[in-house]
Amino acid sequence: MTKHDQIIHYIETLPIGHKISVRGIAKHLNMSEGTAYRAIKDAETLGIVSTIERVGTIRIEKKSKYSPDMLTFEEIVSVIEGEVLGGHAGLNNHLAKFIIGAMTVEAMTKYFSPGSLIIVGNRQRVQELALANGVAVLITGGFGATQEIIDLANQYQLPLISTAHDTFTVATLINRSMTEQMIKKEIVTVQDIFVPLEQSRYLSPHDTVETFHRYADMTGDSRFPVVHNQRLIGVVTAKDLIGKNEQTVIERLMTREPITVKTHMSVASVSHKMIWEDLEMLPVVADNLQLLGVVTRQDVMKAMQSLQQQPQIVHTYEDEVNAHLDRYPASVNSNHYDFRVTIQPQMISNFGTISYGVLCELITNVAHQKLLNQTKFNSMVEKLDLNYFNMIQLGNEIQFKAEIFYQNRRSVLSQVDVYHENSLVARAIVTSQIIEQN
């Protein structure tokens, strides 16, 4: 190992939360402080240490990189509460599909493909054949494996896993995890859309108003982050500079402790923040306030629109509830209802009446659809005040009537009335935030 690698390895052995200093590491490993400093900075890039203001540099748990496509075999082990018997080198590979090994050896070979996992009991011949064909093996029922199979798994670097669960339970757990992963894939985060620091403009606190205007002319932007030693210390906008001398330094005009976002935040939450605060740009920072880049309102709106146009792959609970909501047919709509739904068994509470959460979800969707149909604007519900007058029972058909009674550039107020047999049973006032024009 080089001295640099030795320091990285030493840092990895430290417990989470341990405080790190350049002088301490240099003294402990008998190296120069310059070497220690460079290695600690590299460790910060690797995500195993973090520098926190007024705390110092500490050892942190490395955040696993999120893969939006598939689960890894290591994640499968955690889901099924399994034990890895061999093939540890392949745990970071992704699972493409799983196979139930309840068939003859000859019949199952046609299902073998790279990235597959076969779920099988104590059948050594099947285990051997699967590993030879590049397929990982999951042994159910708490059985182990022979040393010959373990050696084969290590040779091919294919995970060999054992679990105490039965085949049905394991298949259910894996299938549920794969479904959840597909839902996560549809959730766009800041990580997917932000502009990295190398491709964006920023100012130092010692730059002047003249520099700001020069950058603004080059990029067309009116808002820039202010950075010192790679740390975000403020944000300056064109409004802050109105009437100021061209030689005034930015540090005197910037807004300190600005609103920031992290890479793991969803685009929907960032959209809400931007519109509520009327911001065109937000800095993207690490935990130690190191500036990673910026995200603009244009980037967010484009991502939101792209997400809405994607085909739905799997259904969330929200989708399951709203799937029963129908537009009221105009031919029988003498009372001008907008939507109707028949209460299903999965929508009720333990008391046999509609679940409060389900009713709120239905009302939210009705308010959203009303605004979209009437104004062509999309929206995000910010507040819902619900008054519930009469119980709604299993099997009841209820109707919804929505009306927009206030709208400005940012938000909309809607009233949603719920009827059963032409009697008012609930009324909600819904405050929605306009997030984009469709």
Side-chain angles (χ1 to χ4, degrees), residues 341-356:
V341 66
T342 300
I343 307 306
Q344 306 296 316
Q346 63 267 36
M347 295 182 179
I348 64 171
S349 65
N350 293 333
F351 301 105
T353 58
I354 188 171
S355 163
Y356 186 83

Side-chain angles (χ1 to χ4, degrees), residues 50-74:
S50 178
T51 303
I52 302 173
E53 195 172 357
R54 292 194 283 274
V55 174
T57 303
I58 61 171
R59 171 76 166 93
I60 63 172
E61 185 175 0
K62 186 174 181 180
K63 297 176 182 176
S64 57
K65 187 177 179 182
Y66 172 67
S67 170
D69 298 321
M70 296 175 284
L71 293 168
T72 64
F73 288 106
E74 188 172 16

Side-chain angles (χ1 to χ4, degrees), residues 57-295:
T57 303
I58 61 171
R59 171 76 166 93
I60 63 172
E61 185 175 0
K62 186 174 181 180
K63 297 176 182 176
S64 57
K65 187 177 179 182
Y66 172 67
S67 170
D69 298 321
M70 296 175 284
L71 293 168
T72 64
F73 288 106
E74 188 172 16
E75 290 170 322
I76 293 296
V77 173
S78 176
V79 167
I80 64 172
E81 300 173 345
E83 176 188 358
V84 182
L85 305 178
H88 291 78
L91 287 175
N92 288 327
N93 295 332
H94 292 100
L95 171 67
K97 69 174 183 179
F98 64 89
I99 308 162
I100 305 294
M103 58 188 88
T104 64
V105 175
E106 294 74 18
M108 67 177 63
T109 54
K110 64 182 179 182
Y111 297 102
F112 289 164
S113 61
S116 298
L117 172 72
I118 188 166
I119 303 173
V120 67
N122 191 23
R123 299 176 65 185
Q124 183 171 343
R125 175 74 182 106
V126 174
Q127 298 166 10
E128 182 180 354
L129 183 66
L131 291 169
N133 283 272
V135 176
V137 174
L138 171 57
I139 305 171
T140 58
F143 292 108
T146 64
Q147 189 59 48
E148 179 185 353
I149 296 297
I150 294 173
D151 292 341
L152 202 60
N154 291 330
Q155 177 186 339
Y156 291 117
Q157 297 185 353
L158 292 168
L160 176 65
I161 308 165
S162 175
T163 179
H165 294 302
D166 61 274
T167 299
F168 176 79
T169 302
V170 165
T172 302
L173 290 171
I174 295 176
N175 192 57
R176 183 186 303 160
S177 296
M178 292 176 76
T179 301
E180 290 173 354
Q181 192 78 356
M182 292 173 76
I183 292 174
K184 289 178 183 179
K185 182 179 178 180
E186 297 177 357
I187 301 174
V188 181
T189 64
V190 172
Q191 177 71 45
D192 301 316
I193 66 168
F194 83 103
V195 180
L197 186 61
E198 312 82 61
Q199 301 173 24
S200 55
R201 295 278 181 177
Y202 59 89
L203 297 169
S204 78
H206 306 299
D207 284 330
T208 62
V209 173
E210 182 183 5
T211 308
F212 177 97
H213 287 149
R214 186 169 70 250
Y215 281 6
D217 291 338
M218 292 169 57
T219 64
D221 297 331
S222 60
R223 183 179 174 89
F224 295 98
V226 183
V227 179
H228 179 64
N229 290 336
Q230 297 186 323
R231 294 276 193 85
L232 179 76
I233 61 172
V235 165
V236 61
T237 71
K239 292 180 180 178
D240 299 327
L241 310 185
I242 295 175
K244 305 300 181 182
N245 186 282
E246 288 287 297
Q247 299 307 313
T248 305
V249 293
I250 295 298
E251 188 174 20
R252 296 177 56 186
L253 306 173
M254 69 182 184
T255 300
R256 300 179 185 274
E257 299 183 2
I259 298 171
T260 61
V261 295
K262 304 288 184 65
T263 54
H264 65 269
M265 294 176 65
S266 71
V267 169
S269 64
V270 175
S271 168
H272 182 278
K273 190 185 295 286
M274 279 185 152
I275 294 169
W276 184 255
E277 301 289 344
D278 196 21
L279 302 174
E280 293 295 329
M281 179 277 293
L282 283 172
V284 182
V285 297
D287 293 337
N288 63 350
L289 288 183
Q290 177 186 351
L291 183 66
L292 303 178
V294 298
V295 61

Side-chain angles (χ1 to χ4, degrees), residues 347 349 353-361 384-388:
M347 295 182 179
S349 65
T353 58
I354 188 171
S355 163
Y356 186 83
V358 169
L359 182 58
C360 289
E361 178 56 48
L384 190 150
D385 295 316
L386 175 62
N387 292 295
Y388 197 0

